[in-house]
């Protein structure tokens, strides 16, 4: 049996999320790693490049809390409600750099990394105003078989992926079921993965149901037992989505002072 | 029962989905339209959400594509890469989208209003919209019948309309149905009883809008449509 990777949240983040890292955020509406993100804020880790196809308010909190230098994303908002206000203010004030991609192209960039390839070709990002903003981050390749011009999107290798899942063994077999969105692609593309889970389980429980195992082996850097670590998002089989919290966040985050209070409360309450 | 503007728009958009259509569905008005179609005249349609959920039958309006309402009753949960792979491979028949702005060429903006001004309004970004508008053969755009929403030229082209012989783009509002063509908007239908010139004038477009003759009269949503929409909005499968 391999060594235990089970550590406290503070230790996992201190050891594996470094200033300036490129960080992939797991979760997609479901199982969003709020607990890990809040620990990043608590430890005042800064200069991060955050990667996500479609990001919800966890990214807004990270930006407003000063952790982020750059965002690479297809969507940043408060899903179903509206804008990410802290993020929008930071963009307007140019305190963060933003690369605006699309959900598919972000996933393809991560998939290229997961495949160990320098790029993947696609038919998107050929027209409209996004390609000119992305400039040299895109290139055109000609298919050697058909002659079709395609857009090459470069591999994006996260230094670390932050993931919340239902359960894991102490040794790092991680099980996630329900909606994953871009979570598995991003986690498998990353150099290392830090995982919080609802439950730590013995290996035989995982081996009874291996089809739900999304990660195992040395890529998993740390496992933390953090029930509720995805709140206010939901976790299939554990708890529902706190829709009211997303509405409250919309109100709170409109006002920079109230948002700052909200963020400092996160830093105290753990 | 009397329909509100959003209910009429959803009703008109739902009519664009039929038979065994495989439908890529966005959040908000597109979800209402697609679920309405599935609950009324198109029970064999297949609804797909970008979070990776296939053959969904949402109980109520989801706030995000990964929300529990999308998952409940779905046939399959895959992942985002699979959904966009299927989109690029041409496995979906139609997509339903909305945006902050659409222009007469069918380009969508969900990035920024008034860029270059003193206070540009930064929006949420493409999400999957660019990928969908670029890759799908049949696109249905649902918008409020509002001159700020339907414009001559969007402030930023997040999601370009791709023309071509096998492609169609339809723009639907509470008052009208347009074909979007390389030459601009063609009004094909108008809310029954309304003056088509007045409906077009409300959008205050500079680019001329062509009126098809004869124009289809778009019926008001009946009680079955309204009941289905309202049950969905209340989170009921009723």
């Amino acid at each position: 049996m391999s060594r235990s990777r089970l550590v406290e949240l503070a230790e996992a983040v201190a050891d594996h999320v470094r200033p300036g890292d490129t960080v992939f955020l797991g979760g997609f509406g479901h199982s969003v790693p709020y607990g890990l993100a809040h620990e990043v804020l608590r430890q005042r880790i800064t200069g991060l490049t955050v990667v996500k196809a479609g990001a919800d308010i966890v990214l807004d909190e990270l930006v407003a809390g000063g952790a982020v230098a750059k965002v690479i994303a297809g969507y940043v908002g408060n899903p179903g409600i509206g804008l990410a206000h802290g993020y929008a203010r930071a963009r307007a004030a140019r305190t963060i750099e933003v690369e605006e991609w699309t959900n598919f192209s972000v996933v393809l960039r991560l998939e290229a990394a997961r495949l160990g390839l320098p790029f993947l070709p696609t038919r998107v990002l050929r027209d409209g105003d996004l390609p000119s903003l992305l400039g040299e981050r895109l290139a055109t390749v000609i298919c050697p078989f058909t002659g079709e011009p395609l857009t090459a999107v470069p591999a994006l290798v996260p230094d670390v992926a932050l993931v919340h899942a239902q359960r894991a063994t102490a040794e790092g077999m991680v099980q996630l079921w329900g909606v994953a969105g871009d979570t598995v692609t991003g986690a498998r593309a990353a150099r290392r993965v830090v995982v919080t889970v609802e439950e730590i389980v013995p290996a035989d429980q995982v081996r009874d149901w291996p089809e739900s195992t999304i990660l195992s082996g040395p890529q998993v850097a740390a496992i933390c037992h953090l029930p509720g670590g995805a709140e206010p998002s939901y976790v299939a089989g554990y708890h529902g989505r706190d829709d009211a919290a997303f509405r409250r966040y919309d109100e709170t985050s409109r006002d920079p002072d109230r948002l700052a209070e909200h963020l400092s409360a996160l830093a105290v309450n753990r | 029962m009397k329909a509100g503007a959003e209910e009429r728009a959803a009703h008109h958009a739902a009519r664009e989905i039929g038979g065994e259509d495989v439908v890529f569905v966005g959040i908000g008005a597109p979800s209402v339209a697609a679920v309405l179609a599935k609950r009324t005249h198109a029970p064999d349609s297949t609804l797909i959400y970008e979070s990776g959920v296939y053959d969904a039958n949402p109980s109520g309006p989801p706030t995000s594509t990964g929300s529990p309402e999308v998952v409940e009753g779905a046939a399959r949960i895959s992942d985002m890469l699979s959904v966009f792979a299927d989109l690029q491979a041409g496995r979906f028949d139609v997509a339903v989208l909305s945006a902050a702005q659409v222009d007469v060429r069918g380009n969508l903006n969900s990035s920024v209003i008034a860029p270059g001004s003193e206070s540009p309004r930064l929006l949420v970004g493409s999400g999957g919209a660019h990928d969908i508008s670029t890759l799908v053969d049949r696109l249905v755009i649902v918008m409020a019948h509002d001159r700020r929403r339907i414009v001559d030229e969007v402030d930023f082209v997040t999601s370009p309309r791709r023309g071509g012989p096998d492609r169609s783009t339809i723009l639907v509002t509470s008052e009208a149905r347009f074909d979007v063509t390389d030459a601009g908007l063609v009004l094909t239908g108008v809310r029954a009883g309304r003056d088509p010139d007045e409906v077009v004038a409300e959008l205050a477009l500079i680019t001329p809008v062509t009126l098809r003759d004869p124009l289809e009269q778009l019926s008001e949503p009946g009680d079955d449509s309204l009941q289905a929409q309202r049950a969905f909005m209340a989170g009921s499968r009723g």
Side-chain angles (χ1 to χ4, degrees):
Chain A
M1 187 184 286
S2 58
R3 69 180 169 83
S4 171
R5 293 174 168 82
L6 189 60
V7 293
E8 292 297 318
L9 179 66
E11 184 186 343
V13 169
D15 285 353
H16 299 292
V17 184
R18 293 154 199 159
D21 268 357
T22 295
V23 179
F24 172 79
L25 294 174
F28 205 84
H30 174 239
S31 213
V32 178
Y34 279 92
L36 281 163
H38 294 164
E39 185 60 30
V40 166
L41 289 174
R42 245 170 246 135
Q43 295 190 16
R44 305 196 178 283
I45 298 168
T46 59
L48 302 178
T49 292
V50 179
V51 179
K52 185 68 188 167
D56 74 3
I57 60 179
V58 70
L59 177 52
D60 200 68
E61 290 178 336
L62 283 171
V63 168
V68 179
K70 180 174 176 177
V71 174
I72 298 176
Y75 165 100
V76 183
N78 188 339
I81 293 175
L83 300 180
H85 301 294
Y87 166 80
R89 281 193 295 271
R91 274 182 89 181
R94 297 179 191 280
T95 55
I96 54 168
E97 185 188 344
V98 173
E99 273 183 29
E100 187 175 346
W101 292 76
T102 71
N103 283 3
F104 185 28
S105 55
V106 170
V107 174
L108 279 178
R109 294 191 63 191
L110 295 166
E111 182 68 4
R114 168 178 161 175
L115 290 168
L117 291 173
F119 74 93
L120 277 173
T122 173
R123 295 199 179 91
V124 303
L125 290 174
R126 302 206 60 72
D127 299 307
D129 288 334
L130 290 175
S132 55
L133 286 188
L134 291 168
E136 291 178 357
R137 296 174 191 88
L138 299 176
T140 292
V141 289
I142 305 298
C143 172
F145 305 105
T146 65
E148 181 182 358
L150 296 161
T151 303
V153 297
L156 177 51
V157 185
D159 294 305
V160 58
L162 306 182
V163 170
H164 184 83
Q166 277 97 344
R167 56 190 204 172
T169 65
E171 296 76 29
M173 296 179 219
V174 180
Q175 295 199 311
L176 173 70
W177 59 91
V179 167
D182 57 351
T183 306
V184 178
T185 309
R188 290 185 186 159
R191 293 194 168 88
R192 55 188 186 275
V193 187
V194 176
V195 184
T196 55
V197 289
E198 297 292 323
E199 285 188 81
I200 302 294
V201 295
D204 56 352
Q205 279 192 37
V206 170
R207 291 181 186 278
D208 280 347
W209 197 21
E211 58 270 31
S212 289
T213 308
I214 59 160
L215 295 165
S216 61
Q219 197 189 9
V220 179
I223 300 284
C224 311
H225 185 214
L226 191 67
E231 290 173 5
S233 76
Y234 75 108
V235 177
Y238 290 84
H239 62 81
R241 188 177 193 269
D242 185 356
D243 288 337
F246 287 82
R247 288 193 293 272
R248 279 198 306 276
Y249 188 81
D250 179 64
E251 285 296 311
T252 304
S253 60
R254 284 170 191 271
D255 177 348
D257 293 337
R258 285 182 63 196
L259 181 53
E261 274 170 40
H262 166 79
L263 293 170
S264 46
L266 289 177
V268 177
N269 303 324
R270 52 178 299 177
Chain B
M1 285 193 260
K2 191 166 161 30
E6 288 180 10
E7 290 172 329
R8 285 199 305 276
H11 178 72
H12 298 153
R15 291 172 61 254
E16 305 296 329
I17 296 165
E20 297 184 358
D21 274 346
V22 180
V23 192
F24 196 148
V25 187
I27 291 297
S31 263
V32 182
V35 172
L36 175 60
K38 187 163 180 69
R39 288 188 180 194
T40 54
H41 62 274
D44 296 328
S45 58
T46 301
L47 310 188
I48 290 153
Y49 286 85
E50 69 173 10
S51 57
V53 181
Y54 284 71
D55 200 354
N57 186 4
S59 54
T63 52
S64 100
T65 68
S67 282
E69 294 86 351
V70 176
V71 175
E72 191 194 324
R76 173 158 69 111
I77 302 176
S78 186
D79 66 0
M80 182 177 256
L81 181 61
S82 300
V83 173
F84 284 109
D86 282 343
L87 174 70
Q88 185 165 260
R91 296 189 182 101
F92 300 151
D93 298 305
V94 56
V96 189
L97 287 181
S98 192
Q101 282 184 322
V102 62
D103 68 22
V104 295
R105 312 259 175 257
N107 298 310
L108 301 170
N109 177 14
S110 39
S111 296
V112 57
I113 302 291
S117 75
E118 202 129 294
S119 51
R121 184 168 157 75
L122 295 161
L123 307 176
V124 292
S126 160
H130 171 100
D131 310 307
I132 292 167
S133 79
T134 301
L135 296 171
V136 82
D137 284 342
R138 184 154 52 96
L139 180 62
V140 178
I141 303 165
V142 195
M143 299 292 289
H145 196 80
D146 182 337
R147 56 189 289 180
R148 292 164 301 178
R149 298 279 190 175
I150 301 172
V151 297
D152 287 285
E153 203 174 333
V154 287
D155 294 351
F156 184 95
V157 181
T158 310
S159 310
R161 178 183 74 93
R162 245 185 84 188
D166 301 322
R167 289 170 176 269
S168 69
T169 304
I170 309 296
L171 170 61
V172 175
T173 73
S174 59
E175 313 302 310
R177 180 194 185 281
F178 303 91
D179 278 347
V180 185
T181 72
D182 292 342
L185 296 178
V186 178
L187 183 73
T188 64
V190 69
R191 182 180 168 199
R194 288 213 61 192
D195 173 8
D197 292 319
E198 191 182 289
V199 165
V200 169
E202 284 166 354
L203 300 178
L205 295 167
I206 296 161
T207 319
V209 174
T210 310
L211 270 58
R212 184 163 294 167
D213 186 21
L215 271 177
E216 185 191 358
Q217 297 291 306
L218 302 174
S219 61
E220 292 289 304
D223 286 356
D224 57 335
S225 172
L226 290 176
Q227 274 161 8
Q229 289 193 47
R230 288 171 191 178
F232 174 63
M233 294 309 286
S236 155
R237 293 195 184 274

